[in-house]
Amino acid sequence: MKEKKGLINPLDMYYTGGYERQTQEAPGIQGRMKPVPDCGEESYVGHGRLEGRKALITGGDSGIGRAVAIAYCREGADIAINYLPEEQSDAETLAKLLEKEGRKIVLLPGDVSEEQVCNEIVKKAYEELGGLDIMALNAGMQIALKDIADLTTQQLRKVYETNIFSMYWTVKAALPFMPAGSSIVTTSSIQAYQPSKDLLDYAGTKAAVIAFTRALAKQVAEKGIRVNSVSPGPIWTALEVSGGQFPDKLPEFGQSTPLKRAGQPAELAGVYVFLASNESSYVTAEVYGVTGGEHTT
Ligand code: NAD
Ligand code: MG
């Protein structure tokens, strides 16, 4: 979608059709999705709201993280993107897209379910950007399972390590580098509030993300650092086509929301920009829903 201007009905925006059944191995590559998610590549226009800022975005190659990366960069921030090595193709198309913005784009492949990797990406982001004052902690995995009997301890550990342990490790490593005025934005989910029966492990991690966000916000307030979370509803991303949803649920994905469609990653960018910028200077320990009307409380 081109730049969004004037009065537009949200029911008619972006993709409103049914989605094709499709599956990929996790982590999914968004360049192979039909249709490819809209991360604001053509539509996002910056207004200098993050001029001179230095941001690390985990899971930044695709989906919501990619939309955040595009927006932060066009708002004037230098950015470092973390993702899994298997996702190099999505990371490279992003870097190519943003090349012309005149900002620094640092690519940091690595698995955040390992503490050592979290330490390394934070250190590299700080060194290569020459500072660190925004972190969008957005990496996440989701594997739908019908029965707790099939939930292996290996999956349980991996999902918790990726979705929530990584936040502790990344924040612990980053706080010594982050000056007053910095902002941390986590990605939680509507699953924290309305958990699905097929996502026992994932929903638990997302509830933990919200408690972590709020507790951390109170702990670091005295340093002048704000911490908030975004809770998306159904958003068309690679996570959903690589095991996050059962394939037979994809055609109607998002259509039961009041806005009758799935959201596109581009529709999340504005909230992440607001929470990172000085415009939200009195906002901390909050959770913002972007749910198509499903609401979070
Ligand atoms: P996505 O697959 O495009 O992005 C998720 C990213 O997480 C991947 O690109 C990958 O780089 C990263 N990731 C996963 N495991 C990792 C690991 N071990 N190490 C490093 N990076 C890893 O899908 P998305 O939907 O944009 O997901 C972004 C966030 O949004 C996730 O936290 C997800 O739980 C959350 N979320 C998504 C939805 C939705 O409907 N798509 C809804 C609510 C919350
Ligand atoms: Mg990806």
Side-chain angles (χ1 to χ4, degrees):
M1 175 176 269
K2 299 281 179 205
E3 188 179 355
K4 304 181 295 296
K5 277 192 175 158
L7 191 62
I8 311 178
N9 185 340
L11 293 167
D12 302 333
M13 283 174 82
Y14 298 98
Y15 185 79
T16 53
Y19 289 105
E20 210 176 286
R21 270 171 224 228
Q22 51 199 285
T23 37
Q24 292 188 34
E25 294 274 302
I29 303 302
Q30 91 161 31
R32 293 189 201 138
M33 290 173 67
K34 293 182 212 143
V36 173
D38 189 330
C39 296
E41 286 87 348
E42 292 179 47
S43 58
Y44 194 91
V45 179
H47 295 93
R49 293 155 79 192
L50 301 174
E51 205 64 56
R53 302 284 301 271
K54 316 276 184 196
L56 169 62
I57 302 148
T58 64
D61 61 301
S62 61
I64 297 166
R66 183 183 179 102
V68 173
I70 292 169
Y72 282 6
C73 184
R74 291 192 182 150
E75 293 290 354
D78 291 325
I79 58 171
I81 303 298
N82 158 257
Y83 51 92
L84 284 165
E86 302 95 292
E87 301 173 300
Q88 190 65 26
S89 61
D90 278 343
E92 279 173 11
T93 60
L94 176 67
K96 190 156 179 29
L97 173 84
L98 295 178
E99 219 167 53
K100 54 185 178 293
E101 305 293 334
R103 312 302 323 180
K104 203 159 194 184
I105 322 284
V106 180
L107 299 185
L108 298 175
D111 181 343
V112 296
S113 71
E114 293 173 31
E115 182 172 9
Q116 187 54 32
V117 172
C118 294
N119 293 337
E120 281 163 17
I121 59 167
V122 165
K123 189 160 172 284
K124 279 193 197 149
Y126 174 76
E127 286 169 359
E128 296 195 31
L129 298 177
L132 183 62
D133 53 55
I134 300 172
M135 282 208 303
L137 301 178
N138 164 79
M141 62 180 294
Q142 175 182 322
I143 305 168
L145 278 180
K146 285 202 192 309
D147 195 327
I148 192 169
D150 300 323
L151 179 58
T152 62
T153 300
Q154 189 193 20
Q155 173 175 325
L156 188 58
R157 286 218 170 98
K158 192 75 178 169
V159 171
Y160 269 82
E161 284 163 357
T162 304
N163 294 8
I164 178 68
F165 282 27
S166 66
M167 291 193 183
Y168 290 84
W169 293 327
T170 313
V171 167
K172 195 172 159 190
L175 279 178
F177 299 133
M178 299 185 88
S182 296
S183 176
I184 298 171
V185 187
T186 65
T187 303
S188 43
S189 171
I190 194 162
Q191 286 294 322
Y193 301 91
Q194 298 178 42
S196 303
K197 62 184 163 72
D198 302 329
L199 295 172
L200 291 186
D201 50 350
Y202 178 85
T205 66
K206 293 299 180 177
V209 169
I210 290 173
F212 170 73
T213 301
R214 290 182 164 148
L216 180 69
K218 293 173 193 170
Q219 186 177 116
V220 301
E222 64 181 23
K223 296 183 197 289
I225 298 175
R226 297 179 299 102
V227 191
N228 293 286
S229 193
V230 179
S231 280
I235 311 299
W236 180 243
T237 68
L239 175 128
E240 304 295 353
V241 301
S242 59
Q245 295 285 330
F246 296 116
D248 62 350
K249 287 199 178 163
L250 286 178
E252 283 87 42
F253 182 61
Q255 290 181 3
S256 62
T257 65
L259 290 180
K260 298 184 173 35
R261 62 174 175 86
Q264 293 295 322
E267 299 182 277
L268 283 288
V271 179
Y272 284 83
V273 169
F274 168 70
L275 291 173
S277 78
N278 295 329
E279 289 161 37
S280 58
S281 51
Y282 199 54
V283 179
T284 196
E286 291 293 354
V287 182
Y288 281 71
V290 182
T291 64
E294 297 272 82
H295 62 84
T296 50
T297 45

